[in-house]
Structure formats: structure tokens, C-alpha cells
Amino acid sequence: MKATQNPAPAQPPTQVRQTPYSKSFGFTLIELMMVLAIIGILATIAIPQLRNYMTRTRVTEGLNLAAPYKLAVEELAASSNNTFTQAQLALMDFVPTQNVQNISATAMENGIGGVVTITYSQNVEKDATLTLTPTVTDSGIQWQCAAKGATKAAVPATGATDNKAFAAGTLLARFAPANCR
């Protein structure tokens, strides 16, 4: 006797449900437009912020380049009883950089003067200045950085000379470091 095999019962064929998205491969126009709108919004915010950041880094370059001038003022003030001439500063001529046009220091007499002025180039803000004004105290010199609109700091109560040569710079405060505003 021959064994007969019963085939497995046939299952009904499964139907694939058709949707509007089942045959598309890629992005729809509305999806692409939304991505472009988001990129556009981010760019309108990011580009001005990047420009401000780059300008602030250029301002910092000027402050770093002013360090030898500050040191010369400090050393001469300490060694000559807070009085020195422009010639005694003996500073070399400043070599302009891409961001800084000039750095200069003034003479000091009895603790008044010695202001270091940084002049920036067109990459920052054409002919804008940032000033560093020394205040002679018993413990040394305190520097005040001043951009446009900055006011003179209060003079320490003990043993300080009021430096009447203070003048705020012309650099916009938004580009200056926080301690220069």
C-alpha cells in the first residue's frame, strides 16, 4: 500500500496593501522645502554671529600685541617714579598686521598718562580704537580697558593716582571683551 501524502492546506495569498508611499523612493517636494527653510533660518542666525565672533577674535589679537607696550609702561613707571617721556619708552615702530593698524603709548608724568592705544584696521572696524589706561597704585599698576561708551573706573581708595588721561576708545562695545565695555 502506498502511503499518500496529503499536501499542506493551501494558504490564501497575502495581499500587499498599496499606499501612496509604498512605491516612492526619495523625498517629496514638501519635505525638501521644509529642510531648505530650516537651513535658511539657521543661516540667517548663524552668519551674523560668526562675523561677530571673528571680529572679537581680531580684537583679542590687538590686545595680545599690546602686551609689550603695557610691560614697557609698567617697567618705566616702577623705575622712574611714575614719570617718563615718549623717548624713554624706546618702543620699536609697530609693524601693522592684517587686523591691527597701530599700537602706541603716551608719556607719563606723576602717574598721569601712559595710555596704550590700539588702532584697528578695516577687518575689525576702520580706525576704531581701544584704550588701555594705567592706574598707579601702591601694589603696582591696574589697567582699565575701554571701548566706546566705557566709563572711568573708580580709583582705589588707598595710594592710587587718579589718571586723568583716561579716554574711552571708539571700538563698538559689542566687539570688545567684557572687561572693556
Side-chain angles (χ1 to χ4, degrees):
M1 195 183 221
K2 194 172 179 189
T4 60
Q5 294 179 341
N6 289 339
Q11 294 188 1
T14 57
Q15 290 184 345
V16 177
R17 188 175 147 185
Q18 298 290 325
T19 63
Y21 299 109
S22 64
K23 290 185 180 180
S24 65
F25 299 105
F27 298 105
T28 63
L29 181 61
I30 192 73
E31 291 170 331
L32 292 173
M33 289 174 60
M34 288 175 62
V35 168
L36 287 175
I38 291 169
I39 290 172
I41 291 168
L42 291 175
T44 58
I45 295 168
I47 290 173
Q49 291 299 323
L50 178 65
R51 286 187 183 138
N52 285 345
Y53 172 76
M54 294 300 293
T55 301
R56 286 193 297 266
T57 59
R58 291 174 181 143
V59 168
T60 303
E61 176 191 349
L63 287 170
N64 290 335
L65 291 172
Y69 292 80
K70 289 171 56 177
L71 181 62
V73 169
E74 289 172 1
E75 287 181 354
L76 280 171
S79 65
S80 63
N81 200 23
N82 303 327
T83 300
F84 57 85
T85 64
Q86 187 75 30
Q88 287 174 312
L89 277 170
L91 295 170
M92 295 184 295
D93 290 335
F94 179 76
V95 178
T97 67
Q98 189 175 9
N99 302 316
V100 181
Q101 282 182 5
N102 192 27
I103 299 177
S104 62
T106 62
M108 180 182 276
E109 185 164 338
N110 297 324
I112 298 173
V115 177
V116 176
T117 303
I118 307 164
T119 306
Y120 291 96
S121 68
Q122 186 172 330
N123 287 344
V124 175
E125 187 180 336
K126 183 78 171 143
D127 296 328
T129 60
L130 193 63
T131 60
L132 302 168
T133 306
T135 300
V136 179
T137 64
D138 289 340
S139 59
I141 289 185
Q142 293 179 352
W143 290 93
Q144 181 184 356
C145 178
K148 186 175 189 173
T151 57
K152 187 176 180 182
V155 179
T158 58
T161 304
D162 184 16
N163 193 340
K164 295 181 182 4
F166 171 83
T170 60
L171 180 71
L172 293 177
R174 69 181 177 163
F175 297 136
N179 63 336
C180 298
R181 296 180 191 161

